[in-house]
Amino acid sequence: METKLIKIKDSANIKDVELAEAAEVIRRGGLVAFPTETVYGLGANALNEDAARKIYAAKGRPSDNPLIAHISSMEELAPLVSEIPEAGRRLAEAYWPGPLTLVFPKSGLVPYGTTGGLDTVAVRMPSDPVASRLIALAGVPVAAPSANTSGRPSPTTARHVWQDMNGRIDMILDGGPVGIGVESTIVDVSGSVPVLLRPGAVTMEMLEKTVGHVEIDPAIQGPPREDLRPKAPGMKYRHYAPHGDLVLVEGAGMEAVISRINGLAKEKTDQGFRVGIICTDETMGRYRWGQVRSVGMRAKEETIAHNLFAVLREFDDLKTDYIYSESFSREHLGQAIMNRLTKAAGYHVIRV
Ligand code: AMP
Ligand code: MG
């Protein structure tokens, strides 16, 4: 299949003619990758099971890992769900459009092929103008997981999407680099207490301000356990991982962290391996072995979320064998950053 690449001239002043062909592809059951404010999504008609099947095939994604349906206005929610619980209504009012996905009991309209066989449906209203207008023009809810090969770091630029999806999908809309850089926060509002299934840019602190107590699914905090069936089925799969062996070094004292990373990097370099180091602007000058990359500024954690997946992908391009990374605080946006980093590392964390 030939993948058509369409460059969006000015996302803030998007013209319908630029999106007409993409909307048509989605309506007739094809696949279009498009920018959102979180990461690039791989879109298809969420009400068409054959189209959903194409998403799973293009990503190499297990078919029990459900898809998020994206909408462009509040009126598009009601037909997809059998009920809008109070917590869901309040969270949607507070944070839509934006980087928050809500899990509702599904209506009969949503096929099981999109929900991985579940009786719930995950819905998000993105704020990115290209995403929003594309969904409106398509006239259907758009199922859109991240537009990467399953398991790899999520794409934050059209080039990342091209690397993974060229030849496998109909079209890529290039709207430039995304803003946030990590996937949406997911909250299950289908039960009596809201449950956080995936941390993102709408933080725990923000959620609790809107709806009071929010529980945290245990699968967020640690490695998958055999006896725990995660609520977000995607949690059980290896995620976000670079090809190289990624290890996090965590400690209260930055000096001890720097010294351990330097020690590990020297050891592997001496053995002839390609080594990468993930650090921050604050510590960039302190490392002496391997390819050293700053992921952003510790003092501005949104810069770290923004660059994280691009840095992991760069180490794939460099064919790095071992990657050592500093760790971050788990507060606010740090919860999302550390969730992605620890998963990418297969929970390999060294404490110093
Ligand atoms: P991605 O498509 O890569 O952004 O990942 C979507 C995430 O949403 C996966 O972890 C899914 O398991 C989760 N998800 C989608 N639908 C549901 C649902 N109905 N219930 C729980 N989690 C869901
Ligand atoms: Mg994904």
Side-chain angles (χ1 to χ4, degrees), residues 39-40 59 61 65 144-155 183 198 239-240 309:
V39 301
Y40 269 76
K59 281 178 64 77
R61 177 173 174 135
N65 189 357
S146 50
N148 53 295
T149 301
S150 193
R152 289 204 73 200
S154 297
E183 303 83 347
R198 177 172 74 186
H239 250 109
Y240 320 119
F309 288 134

Side-chain angles (χ1 to χ4, degrees), residues 66 118 120 188 190-191 193 195 197 217 219 228-235:
L118 298 174
T120 50
D188 185 349
S190 69
V193 181
V195 183
L197 303 183
D217 191 285
L228 273 185
R229 194 164 168 272
K231 274 229 193 168
M235 289 172 168

Side-chain angles (χ1 to χ4, degrees), residues 95-106:
Y95 300 112
W96 279 3
L100 175 67
T101 296
L102 297 169
V103 175
F104 296 97
K106 84 173 193 69

